[in-house]
Amino acid sequence: MYLEKYRLDGRIAVVTGGASGIGLACSQALLEAGARVVVADASEANLRRARAQIRGGDEGRVEFAPLDVTQAAAVDAFARACRERHGKVDILVNCAGIGRQSSGEETDEDEWRLVLDVNLNGTFWCAKAFGAVMLAQGGGAIVNIGSMSGDIVTRPQKNVHYNVSKAGVHHMTRSLAAEWADRNVRVNAVAPGFVETPMSAYALKTDVETTRTWLSNTPSGRVGQPDEVASIVHFLASDASSLMTGAIVAADGGYTLW
Ligand code: NAP
């Protein structure tokens, strides 16, 4: 009975930012759990690579689609197209995101708007469009990828826009969860710590000092791997977490404990 709750056979899942890093791992995890997965990403190059990397896609349960989450009308049309093609959408993983490093006094208008547009606005456009599909069909599960940076200020990098965008994602998660709980649409988030992906490569691959600071501030003494976030996303997308909504699940090796 308990393991059955983790199965996603027959479910339709959409993963934004699904062609790289954490999103790619989420796409793989949901596919392995039995779902049909739509990998949606703005990067054509990442989509091409993901097509070659995903295992089990030969069963025809995975498809790849270009999607820029900042384009509200396109997101809306994409959600409706997914519902028309598959008859429903059960799971949305909002993983598309970008990082930029600049201090508060250096951050210019374009960079501020870009980070907020992708990380916060894009997450909302997707939650709104796919939430509408889920509310109409009588249920669904949305999992947002926030960050520990939505709760605390990480160091030594400076990125006020990123931190604010993720704080917004966390409170959006709680707000939509409260609105939709009695209509069987659950909204939860994962708040990862430092995870080894292309986004964190600027530090992990070249900046020894930043990496040293990250690790010395993390009780586990290591960075996370994408699959360690994906397994929590899988749990939150499945019936195993049926009582959970509005939760922000930390996956940070203990970083936010200190
Ligand atoms: P990643 O490897 O760069 O993957 C993000 C994917 O989203 C990329 O394919 C990216 O394309 C795509 N994307 C960017 N803008 C988009 C848009 N407007 N519409 C649709 N797709 C877009 O990064 P990641 O580390 O896996 O990050 C995934 C999520 O986890 C993000 O929300 C991030 O903030 C969060 N997170 C990451 C860490 C970490 O340490 N890595 C920690 C906490 C939270 P491009 O490659 O062209 O940008």
Side-chain angles (χ1 to χ4, degrees):
M1 172 199 172
Y2 287 100
L3 278 180
E4 275 307 300
K5 294 186 181 197
Y6 290 84
R7 293 297 313 173
L8 300 177
D9 304 276
R11 309 273 169 100
I12 307 296
V14 174
V15 183
T16 74
S20 177
I22 293 169
L24 180 60
C26 291
S27 300
Q28 182 69 48
L30 302 184
L31 187 68
E32 285 186 23
R36 178 175 287 273
V37 179
V38 181
V39 179
D41 204 293
S43 167
E44 297 278 1
N46 290 351
L47 283 168
R48 267 195 306 279
R49 267 194 297 275
R51 199 182 281 273
Q53 285 172 306
I54 284 191
R55 299 172 306 280
D58 46 346
E59 294 162 22
R61 284 189 295 111
V62 63
E63 54 195 75
F64 300 85
L67 178 71
D68 180 347
V69 298
T70 66
Q71 303 305 306
V75 167
D76 206 43
F78 182 68
R80 281 188 276 108
C82 287
R83 188 204 51 214
E84 271 153 36
R85 182 164 158 77
H86 299 291
K88 59 175 185 167
V89 178
D90 302 293
I91 296 162
L92 168 69
V93 181
N94 262 319
C95 199
I98 58 169
R100 294 289 184 273
Q101 286 74 48
S102 56
S103 66
E105 65 266 39
E106 287 163 350
T107 300
D108 65 24
E109 182 180 348
D110 285 349
E111 191 173 88
W112 176 269
R113 288 189 188 280
L114 177 67
V115 173
L116 272 289
D117 212 20
V118 177
N119 294 0
L120 183 60
N121 297 341
T123 298
F124 181 67
W125 303 135
C126 292
K128 181 173 190 272
F130 284 96
V133 172
M134 293 174 184
L135 290 166
Q137 73 198 12
I142 296 175
V143 185
N144 295 325
I145 306 300
S147 169
M148 64 179 178
S149 304
D151 294 325
I152 48 96
V153 178
T154 49
R155 56 187 171 177
Q157 73 277 24
K158 295 187 174 67
N159 46 14
V160 57
H161 36 23
Y162 184 82
N163 297 344
V164 167
S165 72
K166 292 300 183 176
V169 167
H170 290 187
H171 216 49
M172 182 199 310
T173 301
R174 298 185 191 97
S175 304
L176 294 179
E179 282 191 31
W180 295 344
D182 65 351
R183 285 178 283 166
N184 201 31
V185 175
R186 299 185 299 112
V187 189
N188 290 290
V190 183
F194 302 116
V195 180
E196 191 174 357
T197 70
M199 184 186 282
S200 56
Y202 78 93
L204 296 177
K205 286 211 187 328
T206 56
D207 188 341
V208 177
E209 260 320 297
T210 294
T211 302
R212 205 193 313 268
T213 306
W214 285 2
L215 297 185
S216 64
N217 281 288
T218 306
S220 68
R222 67 176 181 88
V223 295
Q225 294 302 316
D227 67 281
E228 295 179 285
V229 179
S231 49
I232 301 167
V233 169
H234 168 204
F235 164 67
L236 292 173
S238 77
D239 294 344
S241 60
S242 52
L243 197 55
M244 290 175 73
T245 196
I248 315 296
V249 181
D252 60 10
Y255 189 102
T256 47
L257 299 174
W258 283 347

